[in-house]
Amino acid sequence: MTDNWHLFEVFIRSKNGLAHKHAGSVHAQDAQTAILSARDLYTRRGEASSLWIIKSADIIASDPAQDGELFDPADDKIYRHPTFYTVPDGVKNM
Amino acid sequence: MYSTDLRTEKEKKSADQQALPTSNLDDANLWDAFQKRIDNGDIIEAKDAMPEKYRATLLRQISQHAHSEIIGQLPEGNWVTRAPTLKRKLILLAKIQDEAGHGLYLYSAAETLGRSRDDMVADLLSGKAKYSTIFNYPAPSWADIGTIGWLVDGAAITNQIPLCRCSYGPYARAMVRVCKEESFHQRQGYEIVTVLAQGTPEQKQLAQDSINRYWWPSLMMFGPSDSASTHSSQNMKWKIKRHSNDVLRQRFIDATVPQAEFLGLTIPDPDLKWNEERGSYDHGDIDWGEFWAVIKDGGACGKDRIRARRAAAKDGIWVRAAAEAYAKKQAAKKQAA
């Protein structure tokens, strides 16, 4: 028997119309039992209308050490926000 | 508490020596930059740079908390077949399933700090890892199931609510889920005690006996007075901990005493009295000798608890082996198709 079964990340859609949100992880041997374990672990009180499961190893994440280089370019482009622009008095917003 | 530091002074010292940052500049910079993030109210996430001591402290605390949840199922599991009604049995089963869930959320949170769940469980089974002393007390009467929910889970909630704002994101998120579920545990416990307290004189006596046995161990769950502890202040600085053990213990006493009074039950502390000036209850001295003795020799039930966990691990081997074999077979089939 092997140690440390695969780790899966669990995403829950609480009701249709909303996006899936990360809920936590489960260990399982295969996708089918991962879904069942996630159901038992994260939806004991009607929290879900849908589950997504993905192997943790398959997630591609940005590197927190590189946060600066990755996200800084957005910081100096304030003209991308509507508040950058002035609307003359008396003109109504859309 | 489930997350109280249960190490002796000697164990703390030796852990400190191992976790001391090396003297190179990187580490000093890391500590400063890290503290600045914490001071700014940043939440630390799994892959973020962190001092080794922060990582080690959290890993110890979260895994010990997880073990406590798992071991906490045992005194209750003992009562499943003897619950007085079907309703109580169903509630108890649901509660025990929640405890297993809490253990799993917490093992997952601990795993983000770089240690595998199997390793942590191995430490529990070998007796190396510690867990809350409260579960080494026996639960010989049905009233104890009520008291455990009311007092033990009540103490747990008092401790865990501030942990929802702990600086480590995965731990804080696990605590949010745990706290939501824990309030059902506390209420069903108080309801059991209420029914007994308002029943026959014999039933009321059962409830009183149970409080007599569980009151002091529940207060010990918050851990020794930590005003003088350097570990505690470092944990506060890192926002792993938000309030001192004494503050939380006082909060618990102030909330619980009126609940006991309402039921006409007596708190087994002759020195307990309302302090008008402080707006809080004064309480008698806690026997810390008993607390350390239970940590050291496992108290009345320590050996049984570990034996039960070992038996469960062994009895479950065939289930895990079957799951592995099934997964392999399905994967092979898929490849052949």
Side-chain angles (χ1 to χ4, degrees), chain B residues 33 110 158 186 202 232 277 285 329:
Chain B
T158 311
Q186 199 270 346
E202 289 82 7
S232 204
E277 208 171 300
D285 289 335
K329 200 167 139 190

Side-chain angles (χ1 to χ4, degrees), chain B residues 21-281:
Chain B
T22 48
S23 57
N24 72 42
L25 195 66
D26 280 351
D27 279 355
N29 283 339
L30 175 60
W31 273 61
D32 287 348
F34 184 76
Q35 189 60 52
K36 216 170 266 169
R37 286 191 65 188
I38 300 267
D39 293 343
N40 286 336
D42 260 15
I43 299 295
I44 308 304
E45 292 292 347
K47 300 266 162 62
D48 291 359
M50 60 183 88
E52 171 57 22
K53 206 178 152 196
Y54 177 85
R55 193 190 67 83
T57 299
L58 275 167
L59 188 54
R60 180 183 49 72
Q61 177 171 328
I62 303 172
S63 61
Q64 178 188 300
H65 196 158
H67 299 325
S68 301
E69 300 282 356
I70 297 298
I71 294 288
Q73 298 176 98
L74 298 173
E76 300 186 316
N78 190 32
W79 277 95
V80 169
T81 55
R82 291 177 289 150
T85 65
L86 179 60
K87 180 183 107 174
R88 293 291 175 200
K89 184 174 181 166
L90 290 172
I91 293 170
L92 187 56
L93 282 168
K95 179 177 192 293
I96 294 168
Q97 195 185 14
D98 277 354
E99 307 295 2
H102 298 176
L104 292 175
Y105 308 151
L106 286 160
Y107 282 129
S108 290
E111 280 194 304
T112 62
L113 293 161
R115 201 156 177 239
S116 78
R117 187 174 78 190
D118 285 1
D119 277 359
M120 294 182 260
V121 171
D123 278 355
L124 176 65
L125 298 182
S126 75
K128 189 178 160 205
K130 287 172 175 158
Y131 56 85
S132 177
T133 50
I134 195 74
F135 302 116
N136 284 341
Y137 288 87
S141 94
W142 170 251
D144 295 335
I145 297 306
T147 314
I148 287 172
W150 173 30
L151 298 180
V152 174
D153 291 322
I157 293 171
T158 311
N159 181 263
Q160 286 167 170
I161 285 175
L163 287 175
C164 296
R165 293 184 298 124
C166 152
S167 61
Y168 189 57
Y171 191 27
R173 289 192 289 274
M175 280 298 106
V176 170
R177 293 192 70 87
V178 168
C179 282
K180 272 187 198 158
E181 299 178 355
E182 205 79 64
S183 85
F184 137 58
H185 298 178
Q186 199 270 346
R187 284 190 188 201
Q188 65 84 37
Y190 189 63
E191 195 196 70
I192 290 175
V193 179
T194 303
V195 169
L196 290 171
Q198 295 172 348
T200 64
E202 289 82 7
Q203 286 172 325
K204 188 169 182 181
Q205 192 53 45
L206 270 185
Q208 184 60 56
D209 284 345
S210 182
I211 295 178
N212 292 350
R213 283 181 287 108
Y214 270 95
W215 177 254
W216 290 105
S218 299
L219 297 191
M220 289 175 203
M221 287 173 69
F222 293 93
S225 181
D226 54 6
S227 46
S229 158
T230 50
H231 283 89
S232 204
S233 64
Q234 180 61 64
N235 287 353
M236 294 260 216
K237 223 172 132 190
W238 275 335
K239 296 185 186 169
I240 292 174
K241 198 173 167 150
R242 294 272 181 172
H243 310 283
S244 77
N245 293 348
D246 291 328
V247 164
L248 293 170
R249 181 165 25 241
Q250 185 72 59
R251 206 174 273 178
F252 171 73
I253 293 172
D254 291 346
T256 311
V257 172
Q259 293 174 345
E261 281 172 353
F262 177 80
L263 298 178
L265 297 169
T266 311
I267 302 285
D269 178 358
D271 296 324
L272 187 83
K273 62 168 187 290
W274 179 252
N275 183 324
E276 193 65 55
E277 208 171 300
R278 288 199 306 126
S280 269
Y281 285 91

Side-chain angles (χ1 to χ4, degrees), chain A residues 27-38:
Chain A
H27 284 273
Q29 269 297 313
D30 58 88
Q32 198 187 348
T33 47
I35 288 266
L36 293 177
S37 296

Side-chain angles (χ1 to χ4, degrees), chain A residues 20 33 42 72 81 91:
Chain A
H20 285 79
T33 47
Y42 294 105
D72 278 357
H81 298 277
V91 174

